[in-house]
PDB file of all heavy atoms in Angstrom:
ATOM      1  N   LYS T  63     100.083  56.715  87.830  1.00  0.00           N
ATOM      2  CA  LYS T  63     100.519  57.320  88.997  1.00  0.00           C
ATOM      3  C   LYS T  63      99.968  58.644  89.167  1.00  0.00           C
ATOM      4  O   LYS T  63     100.163  59.579  88.374  1.00  0.00           O
ATOM      5  CB  LYS T  63     102.058  57.390  88.973  1.00  0.00           C
ATOM      6  CG  LYS T  63     102.688  57.847  90.266  1.00  0.00           C
ATOM      7  CD  LYS T  63     104.290  57.692  90.322  1.00  0.00           C
ATOM      8  CE  LYS T  63     104.806  58.067  91.690  1.00  0.00           C
ATOM      9  NZ  LYS T  63     106.291  57.858  91.707  1.00  0.00           N
ATOM     10  N   CYS T  66      99.855  64.692  93.822  1.00  0.00           N
ATOM     11  CA  CYS T  66      99.097  65.858  94.471  1.00  0.00           C
ATOM     12  C   CYS T  66     100.083  66.795  95.042  1.00  0.00           C
ATOM     13  O   CYS T  66     100.912  66.433  95.869  1.00  0.00           O
ATOM     14  CB  CYS T  66      98.242  65.168  95.622  1.00  0.00           C
ATOM     15  SG  CYS T  66      97.457  66.482  96.567  1.00  0.00           S
ATOM     16  N   VAL T  68     101.101  69.799  97.231  1.00  0.00           N
ATOM     17  CA  VAL T  68     100.640  70.300  98.494  1.00  0.00           C
ATOM     18  C   VAL T  68     101.252  71.619  98.853  1.00  0.00           C
ATOM     19  O   VAL T  68     102.629  71.646  98.883  1.00  0.00           O
ATOM     20  CB  VAL T  68     100.833  69.263  99.674  1.00  0.00           C
ATOM     21  CG1 VAL T  68     100.257  69.809 101.003  1.00  0.00           C
ATOM     22  CG2 VAL T  68     100.237  68.009  99.277  1.00  0.00           C
ATOM     23  N   TYR T  76     100.132  65.065 110.863  1.00  0.00           N
ATOM     24  CA  TYR T  76      99.029  65.126 109.837  1.00  0.00           C
ATOM     25  C   TYR T  76      98.766  63.807 109.224  1.00  0.00           C
ATOM     26  O   TYR T  76      99.498  62.897 109.481  1.00  0.00           O
ATOM     27  CB  TYR T  76      99.522  66.132 108.725  1.00  0.00           C
ATOM     28  CG  TYR T  76     100.802  65.754 108.049  1.00  0.00           C
ATOM     29  CD1 TYR T  76     100.744  64.856 107.082  1.00  0.00           C
ATOM     30  CD2 TYR T  76     102.005  66.244 108.479  1.00  0.00           C
ATOM     31  CE1 TYR T  76     102.007  64.324 106.477  1.00  0.00           C
ATOM     32  CE2 TYR T  76     103.164  65.773 107.913  1.00  0.00           C
ATOM     33  CZ  TYR T  76     103.174  64.886 106.900  1.00  0.00           C
ATOM     34  OH  TYR T  76     104.315  64.439 106.304  1.00  0.00           O
ATOM     35  N   ILE T  95      98.431  57.966 104.388  1.00  0.00           N
ATOM     36  CA  ILE T  95      99.747  58.038 105.011  1.00  0.00           C
ATOM     37  C   ILE T  95      99.794  58.982 106.196  1.00  0.00           C
ATOM     38  O   ILE T  95      99.278  60.206 105.966  1.00  0.00           O
ATOM     39  CB  ILE T  95     100.767  58.245 103.943  1.00  0.00           C
ATOM     40  CG1 ILE T  95     102.221  58.088 104.554  1.00  0.00           C
ATOM     41  CG2 ILE T  95     100.596  59.647 103.338  1.00  0.00           C
ATOM     42  CD1 ILE T  95     103.273  57.998 103.527  1.00  0.00           C
ATOM     43  N   SER T 114     102.649  57.268  98.749  1.00  0.00           N
ATOM     44  CA  SER T 114     103.912  57.668  99.260  1.00  0.00           C
ATOM     45  C   SER T 114     103.966  59.163  99.115  1.00  0.00           C
ATOM     46  O   SER T 114     103.114  59.902  98.544  1.00  0.00           O
ATOM     47  CB  SER T 114     105.018  57.092  98.272  1.00  0.00           C
ATOM     48  OG  SER T 114     104.859  57.438  96.997  1.00  0.00           O
ATOM     49  N   GLN T 115     105.023  59.738  99.770  1.00  0.00           N
ATOM     50  CA  GLN T 115     105.326  61.144  99.789  1.00  0.00           C
ATOM     51  C   GLN T 115     106.722  61.427  99.184  1.00  0.00           C
ATOM     52  O   GLN T 115     107.573  60.605  99.281  1.00  0.00           O
ATOM     53  CB  GLN T 115     105.230  61.754 101.097  1.00  0.00           C
ATOM     54  CG  GLN T 115     103.844  61.829 101.721  1.00  0.00           C
ATOM     55  CD  GLN T 115     103.810  62.455 103.126  1.00  0.00           C
ATOM     56  OE1 GLN T 115     104.219  61.843 104.132  1.00  0.00           O
ATOM     57  NE2 GLN T 115     103.381  63.664 103.198  1.00  0.00           N
ATOM     58  N   GLY T 116     106.809  62.584  98.484  1.00  0.00           N
ATOM     59  CA  GLY T 116     108.106  62.865  97.996  1.00  0.00           C
ATOM     60  C   GLY T 116     108.924  63.479  99.075  1.00  0.00           C
ATOM     61  O   GLY T 116     108.552  63.532 100.248  1.00  0.00           O
ATOM     62  N   ASN T 117     110.087  63.954  98.699  1.00  0.00           N
ATOM     63  CA  ASN T 117     111.041  64.521  99.621  1.00  0.00           C
ATOM     64  C   ASN T 117     111.637  65.796  99.006  1.00  0.00           C
ATOM     65  O   ASN T 117     112.296  65.733  97.982  1.00  0.00           O
ATOM     66  CB  ASN T 117     112.275  63.525  99.890  1.00  0.00           C
ATOM     67  CG  ASN T 117     113.259  64.031 100.978  1.00  0.00           C
ATOM     68  OD1 ASN T 117     112.763  64.925 101.682  1.00  0.00           O
ATOM     69  ND2 ASN T 117     114.343  63.430 101.136  1.00  0.00           N
ATOM     70  N   PRO T 118     111.219  67.006  99.481  1.00  0.00           N
ATOM     71  CA  PRO T 118     110.441  67.143 100.686  1.00  0.00           C
ATOM     72  C   PRO T 118     109.062  66.710 100.538  1.00  0.00           C
ATOM     73  O   PRO T 118     108.581  66.474  99.475  1.00  0.00           O
ATOM     74  CB  PRO T 118     110.610  68.726 100.961  1.00  0.00           C
ATOM     75  CG  PRO T 118     110.780  69.220  99.455  1.00  0.00           C
ATOM     76  CD  PRO T 118     111.674  68.186  98.900  1.00  0.00           C
ATOM     77  N   LYS T 119     108.287  66.682 101.604  1.00  0.00           N
ATOM     78  CA  LYS T 119     107.013  66.097 101.633  1.00  0.00           C
ATOM     79  C   LYS T 119     105.968  67.022 101.248  1.00  0.00           C
ATOM     80  O   LYS T 119     104.902  67.226 101.744  1.00  0.00           O
ATOM     81  CB  LYS T 119     106.630  65.603 103.077  1.00  0.00           C
ATOM     82  CG  LYS T 119     107.654  64.559 103.530  1.00  0.00           C
ATOM     83  CD  LYS T 119     107.310  64.105 104.956  1.00  0.00           C
ATOM     84  CE  LYS T 119     108.227  62.968 105.443  1.00  0.00           C
ATOM     85  NZ  LYS T 119     107.945  62.646 106.849  1.00  0.00           N
ATOM     86  N   ASN T 120     106.150  67.677  99.940  1.00  0.00           N
ATOM     87  CA  ASN T 120     105.217  68.464  99.508  1.00  0.00           C
ATOM     88  C   ASN T 120     104.411  67.917  98.218  1.00  0.00           C
ATOM     89  O   ASN T 120     103.753  68.645  97.437  1.00  0.00           O
ATOM     90  CB  ASN T 120     105.722  69.861  99.108  1.00  0.00           C
ATOM     91  CG  ASN T 120     106.869  69.736  98.184  1.00  0.00           C
ATOM     92  OD1 ASN T 120     107.258  68.682  97.787  1.00  0.00           O
ATOM     93  ND2 ASN T 120     107.352  70.987  97.781  1.00  0.00           N
ATOM     94  N   THR T 121     104.677  66.629  98.099  1.00  0.00           N
ATOM     95  CA  THR T 121     103.918  65.941  96.938  1.00  0.00           C
ATOM     96  C   THR T 121     103.490  64.526  97.536  1.00  0.00           C
ATOM     97  O   THR T 121     104.209  63.907  98.066  1.00  0.00           O
ATOM     98  CB  THR T 121     104.887  65.760  95.760  1.00  0.00           C
ATOM     99  OG1 THR T 121     105.467  67.033  95.266  1.00  0.00           O
ATOM    100  CG2 THR T 121     104.054  65.163  94.552  1.00  0.00           C
ATOM    101  N   LEU T 122     102.272  64.258  97.262  1.00  0.00           N
ATOM    102  CA  LEU T 122     101.681  62.987  97.597  1.00  0.00           C
ATOM    103  C   LEU T 122     101.418  62.239  96.321  1.00  0.00           C
ATOM    104  O   LEU T 122     100.968  62.842  95.285  1.00  0.00           O
ATOM    105  CB  LEU T 122     100.372  63.283  98.330  1.00  0.00           C
ATOM    106  CG  LEU T 122      99.692  61.992  98.800  1.00  0.00           C
ATOM    107  CD1 LEU T 122     100.426  61.364 100.034  1.00  0.00           C
ATOM    108  CD2 LEU T 122      98.304  62.308  99.277  1.00  0.00           C
ATOM    109  N   TYR T 123     101.734  60.939  96.275  1.00  0.00           N
ATOM    110  CA  TYR T 123     101.586  59.996  95.141  1.00  0.00           C
ATOM    111  C   TYR T 123     100.674  58.897  95.440  1.00  0.00           C
ATOM    112  O   TYR T 123     100.564  58.472  96.584  1.00  0.00           O
ATOM    113  CB  TYR T 123     102.993  59.448  94.739  1.00  0.00           C
ATOM    114  CG  TYR T 123     104.086  60.574  94.428  1.00  0.00           C
ATOM    115  CD1 TYR T 123     105.061  60.881  95.336  1.00  0.00           C
ATOM    116  CD2 TYR T 123     103.971  61.241  93.159  1.00  0.00           C
ATOM    117  CE1 TYR T 123     105.987  61.821  94.967  1.00  0.00           C
ATOM    118  CE2 TYR T 123     104.920  62.223  92.788  1.00  0.00           C
ATOM    119  CZ  TYR T 123     105.943  62.510  93.715  1.00  0.00           C
ATOM    120  OH  TYR T 123     106.830  63.398  93.418  1.00  0.00           O
TER     121      TYR T 123
END
Side-chain angles (χ1 to χ4, degrees):
K63 187 172 185 177
C66 175
V68 183
Y76 58 85
I95 185 168
S114 62
Q115 288 183 288
N117 188 14
K119 298 179 180 177
N120 56 358
T121 306
L122 184 71
Y123 300 103

